Amino acid sequence: MYYSAQHSSPVGTLTLASDGSSLVGLWLQGQKYFGGTVAQAMAESPRLPVFNAAKEWLDKYFSGQKPAIAELPLAPYGSEFRRAVWEILCSIPYGEVITYGEIAKEMAARMHRAHMSAQAVGGAVGHNPISIIIPCHRVVGSNGSLTGYAGGIEKKIRLLEHEGADLSKLVLPAKETAL
């Protein structure tokens, strides 16, 4: 059985999901692939210890602290490839960005391949089921484009600004409006 809880944040209402002991999902309101990794109905249970820990983590994060991802029991559901990409996301330092291509190079090395598709990495990043905590908002295109955030470009920008990331070399995708 899966459980859910809501949490208010500066980027809107967040929905948290748990298997009862670990966090399996965190989605922004209106996010693409919302709840996609939880195939069953979720029962509202906001007082689970894992939700209390996640809410405390989020409150610290949004107050300007830098809580460690390892403070939370995370169990994102996905293929071995996706989980490996999400593991790389967890290593991106607070306030910094990395490109899909850089992640692809690291994945190629881990898989003992000469090359890895940045598009395959983009698919894994885009399907990250635990937004914010697994920081997929820190991934940008090779040209500095702020493309590819399932929660929306505006929220990606807000999260990066919150972390103090240098946005001066980053650009909006061609179909978005100016910063």
Side-chain angles (χ1 to χ4, degrees):
M1 177 165 226
Y2 290 96
Y3 305 93
S4 68
Q6 305 291 311
H7 189 62
S8 295
S9 82
V11 292
T13 300
L14 305 174
T15 299
L16 296 93
S18 173
D19 60 7
S21 59
S22 297
L23 196 65
V24 298
L26 188 161
W27 300 280
L28 294 89
Q29 190 171 4
Q31 179 175 332
K32 193 174 183 180
Y33 313 119
F34 187 98
T37 56
V38 179
Q40 304 171 11
M42 293 184 276
E44 185 77 19
S45 187
R47 300 207 193 295
L48 280 177
V50 68
F51 289 148
N52 293 335
K55 291 173 183 180
E56 184 178 313
W57 191 99
L58 290 161
D59 290 344
K60 286 179 185 177
Y61 172 83
F62 284 114
S63 73
Q65 296 177 49
K66 301 175 186 175
I69 296 168
E71 291 177 22
L72 296 172
L74 303 180
Y77 178 76
S79 67
E80 183 178 338
F81 176 81
R82 286 184 176 179
R83 288 191 317 270
V85 170
W86 300 335
E87 182 181 306
I88 293 169
L89 297 180
C90 290
S91 71
I92 306 169
Y94 183 96
E96 295 184 25
V97 296
I98 188 172
T99 67
Y100 294 97
E102 289 170 312
I103 296 172
K105 285 179 186 172
E106 186 167 338
M107 284 299 296
R110 286 183 181 200
M111 297 174 76
H112 308 290
R113 292 184 173 180
H115 182 266
M116 172 60 59
S117 163
Q119 288 80 11
V121 166
V125 171
H127 285 84
N128 168 24
I130 305 178
S131 294
I132 301 171
I133 296 170
I134 297 178
C136 52
H137 59 277
R138 296 178 188 157
V139 183
V140 300
S142 60
N143 64 353
S145 175
L146 290 163
T147 189
Y149 191 61
I153 300 298
E154 177 186 305
K155 289 179 179 150
K156 181 174 190 161
I157 292 168
R158 287 184 66 191
L159 291 167
L160 290 171
E161 286 175 337
H162 167 74
E163 294 182 8
D166 179 7
L167 301 178
S168 66
K169 295 181 179 146
L170 303 178
V171 297
L172 288 173
K175 56 186 164 188
E176 297 291 331
T177 57
L179 285 173

